[in-house]
Amino acid sequence: MNKNVPKQRDVPLKDIVDQPVTGGATNEAFDPENGRDACVPGLANLITVEDVQGFLIDNDLQECARAFRENDVDGKALRHLDDAMMKDLVPMVSSNSPISTLNFWEIPRSSLNLSRRIGRGQFGEVRLGEVRNRGVTTTVAVKTLRDSASDGNKKDLLGELEILVTVGRHDNIISLVGACTKGGPFMVVVEYAPNGCLKDWLKTNSVEAMRNNSENQNQPLPVMDLEQLIQFGIDVAAGMSHLAAVQCVHRDLAARNILLGKNLVAKVSDFGLSRDIYESEEYVKTTKTKLPLRWMAYESLFYNVYTTQSDVWSFGVLLWEIMSMGHLPYGGMKGKQMMNMIKDGGRLEKPLYCPDELFALMEDCWTILPEDRPTFPQLKTNLDRIIQAHKVTVC
Ligand code: ADE
C-alpha cells in the first residue's frame, strides 16, 4: 500500500486534538481511555505537558521535547500525533532522524512472545505472538524479516509501519499494535485475525469443496450464504473508504489480502510485505517485479498509474472472487491474453450465482475512465442497499 504525500497541516495541534479523529494515528496501545494493551509502560499515564516533557527527556528525545513544549503538547495531543504533524512541529526531523512518531509505538521486546509461523514470503514471515502489558495478554500477528533480508526489504517493512501509523485504527483494517525497532530484529506487530484469509475461506466454503469433502458425502449441500458474501464486500468497502480518506492507495487489493477477524469481519491487510510475497501463481513476473496483473486497473496495466480509483477496479475483481467462491479471475488465460482482452473491452463474466445488481456494480468498477467508476463510499452505500433488499426477499 502506498501513502500519497500528506496535505500540509497548518492548524495548531491543540486545535486538532479536540476534533473527532477520522484518520491518523490514534495509538490505542497507550490510550488510557481505551484500557487495552498499553504497550509502552508509563505512556498511558502522560496527561500534562510536563508529563510528556519528562517522558521525552527520559527517552533521549530532547529535540522533540523543546518543540513539544513550545506547542504545549500534552498527553492527549501526543496520542493524536501523526508523522505529518510531527514534521510541522519539529521541522528538523528528517526521514532518517531517530525522532518520529514511531518512537511512541515501541514495544519492549520482553513484553512480546513469538510462537508458530502463520504466513510467509520470500524475505519475511508472519508469526503468531502475544503481547503482555499490565497483566493483560493480547494475541497478535508479528511481521519479521529473515536473516537474508536486504536493506531494501527492511525499508519496505519500515515503510509499512509508517503507513500503519498514519492510517490509524478502523474495524475493517488490520491495525497496528506496535513495533520492535531497537536492539534486535525489526518486527511490526499487528492485530491478529483468527479466521484466516478470505480467499481460503471462500475456497473451503465453496459447494465444490463441500462436495469433495468425504465427511460431507451424505449431507445435503448448504446453500451459498449470499448475505455473508455481500457483508464481506461491505466490510472491505468500509475499510477502503477509510484508506481513501487518509489518502492511501493499497495497490494490491485482492481476496488473499483480506483477513477475517472475529465473527468473520473482513479486514484489509498487507500494506508492504506484500511487495515481497509475490510467490504464488497470482502474481506474474514482468521485467522488474511480480505484479498482480489480474487485479490491476486498465491505467495500471498500460500506464503504470495507481490511484484510489485503480483500487476501485481491484475491488470489482475482489467482488468477483467473492461471488465465484475464490476462483482465479480470468482462469485459463495467460497474463498477456488477459491484458489483450481488457484492452479490447472484454471483462470478467458474471459468476454463476451472482445477482444481476451485484454484477452491475462490478462492471461499474471496470469502467475505462477512473473518474467514471464509483467511489468506495458509493460502493458501500450500494452494497448496503443490495443486502437490505436481499434480506427483505428472504423474509
Ligand atoms: N497472516 C498474516 N497476517 C495475519 C494476521 N494479522 N492475522 C492472522 N493471520 C495472518
Side-chain angles (χ1 to χ4, degrees):
M1 195 176 79
N2 271 14
K3 172 87 181 73
N4 289 348
V5 180
K7 281 198 194 118
Q8 190 64 34
R9 288 168 221 250
D10 44 18
V11 184
L13 190 67
K14 60 182 176 346
D15 293 348
I16 293 170
V17 296
D18 289 329
Q19 296 168 10
V21 176
T22 53
T26 304
N27 185 354
E28 68 173 33
F30 56 82
D31 189 345
E33 286 136 48
N34 188 305
R36 237 180 54 148
D37 28 290
C39 289
V40 186
L43 265 180
N45 302 323
L46 304 183
I47 294 162
T48 64
V49 174
E50 284 65 38
D51 294 340
V52 171
Q53 289 292 305
F55 167 79
L56 293 172
I57 289 162
D58 286 352
N59 284 278
D60 232 8
L61 298 168
Q62 279 81 357
E63 211 179 331
C64 213
R66 219 169 302 125
F68 281 22
R69 170 163 282 291
E70 277 163 21
N71 286 278
D72 289 337
V73 176
D74 60 10
K76 190 173 180 191
L78 187 64
R79 284 188 290 281
H80 289 77
L81 199 65
D82 69 18
D83 275 350
M85 294 175 189
M86 178 75 122
K87 285 205 172 77
D88 285 346
L89 279 173
V90 194
M92 66 286 276
V93 168
S94 66
S95 53
N96 52 12
S97 159
I99 302 173
S100 91
T101 48
L102 299 185
N103 291 90
F104 310 131
W105 291 88
E106 192 69 19
I107 294 178
R109 283 179 197 278
S110 55
S111 309
L112 182 65
N113 270 339
L114 295 185
S115 58
R116 69 184 166 86
R117 192 172 67 200
I118 53 175
R120 61 173 299 186
Q122 214 179 332
F123 299 107
E125 60 183 28
V126 185
R127 307 267 297 270
L128 191 65
E130 278 183 348
V131 176
R132 274 170 292 100
N133 193 258
R134 290 198 248 124
V136 181
T137 300
T138 310
T139 305
V140 291
V142 184
K143 293 190 163 197
T144 60
L145 290 165
R146 301 226 190 113
D147 292 343
S148 59
S150 66
D151 285 350
N153 304 137
K154 282 180 198 145
K155 235 171 109 189
D156 283 351
L157 191 55
L158 191 62
E160 178 173 7
L161 174 58
E162 284 175 346
I163 288 167
L164 284 164
V165 168
T166 311
V167 164
R169 238 207 68 78
H170 188 281
D171 280 351
N172 302 111
I173 285 177
I174 288 287
S175 301
L176 181 65
V177 172
C180 300
T181 66
K182 294 173 191 154
F186 179 36
M187 294 189 273
V188 174
V189 182
V190 295
E191 138 188 34
Y192 173 64
N195 286 302
C197 102
L198 174 60
K199 180 162 173 86
D200 293 344
W201 188 93
L202 292 167
K203 288 190 96 65
T204 47
N205 287 279
S206 70
V207 171
E208 293 136 73
M210 301 276 178
R211 195 175 284 133
N212 292 339
N213 184 340
S214 58
E215 282 174 27
N216 293 334
Q217 287 300 316
N218 299 320
Q219 307 277 325
L221 284 174
V223 281
M224 188 173 72
D225 184 353
L226 188 58
E227 202 177 308
Q228 177 62 69
L229 298 185
I230 303 172
Q231 188 59 50
F232 287 144
I234 293 174
D235 289 348
V236 177
M240 289 306 296
S241 297
H242 176 76
L243 280 197
V246 295
Q247 301 174 55
C248 279
V249 179
H250 191 289
R251 285 175 171 235
D252 197 9
L253 188 57
R256 63 182 166 272
N257 288 332
I258 303 298
L259 293 172
L260 300 176
K262 272 191 216 146
N263 303 319
L264 294 180
V265 172
K267 291 166 184 268
V268 180
S269 163
D270 245 316
F271 301 62
L273 258 195
S274 58
R275 297 287 156 267
D276 72 61
I277 302 185
Y278 293 168
E279 278 188 334
S280 81
E281 56 159 356
E282 294 186 351
Y283 296 94
V284 175
K285 183 135 184 65
T286 63
T287 41
K288 273 197 235 117
T289 179
K290 287 186 172 184
L291 294 171
L293 289 184
R294 291 162 201 270
W295 285 263
M296 280 164 59
Y298 185 92
E299 67 278 12
S300 315
L301 284 172
F302 300 108
Y303 302 103
N304 203 22
V305 170
Y306 294 85
T307 63
T308 290
Q309 289 311 97
S310 58
D311 279 346
V312 166
W313 179 297
S314 312
F315 178 80
V317 181
L318 165 58
L319 276 185
W320 185 95
E321 290 183 276
I322 292 174
M323 294 313 300
S324 63
M325 298 301 286
H327 280 191
L328 180 70
Y330 316 92
M333 275 192 195
K334 292 245 158 62
K336 193 86 197 144
Q337 262 179 302
M338 169 248 144
M339 286 176 72
N340 284 335
M341 189 185 87
I342 295 291
K343 194 177 243 161
D344 295 341
R347 296 291 184 268
L348 286 162
E349 282 178 16
K350 185 163 92 84
L352 199 54
Y353 301 106
C354 179
D356 288 345
E357 66 271 32
L358 255 180
F359 186 60
L361 215 53
M362 294 177 204
E363 289 186 305
D364 289 347
C365 297
W366 305 326
T367 309
I368 288 271
L369 291 178
E371 61 270 29
D372 289 346
R373 296 173 202 151
T375 62
F376 281 113
Q378 286 167 346
L379 284 161
K380 181 175 178 303
T381 305
N382 277 303
L383 289 166
D384 280 334
R385 191 180 38 74
I386 294 172
I387 206 171
Q388 287 311 328
H390 173 74
K391 281 178 187 167
V392 171
T393 321
V394 170
C395 290

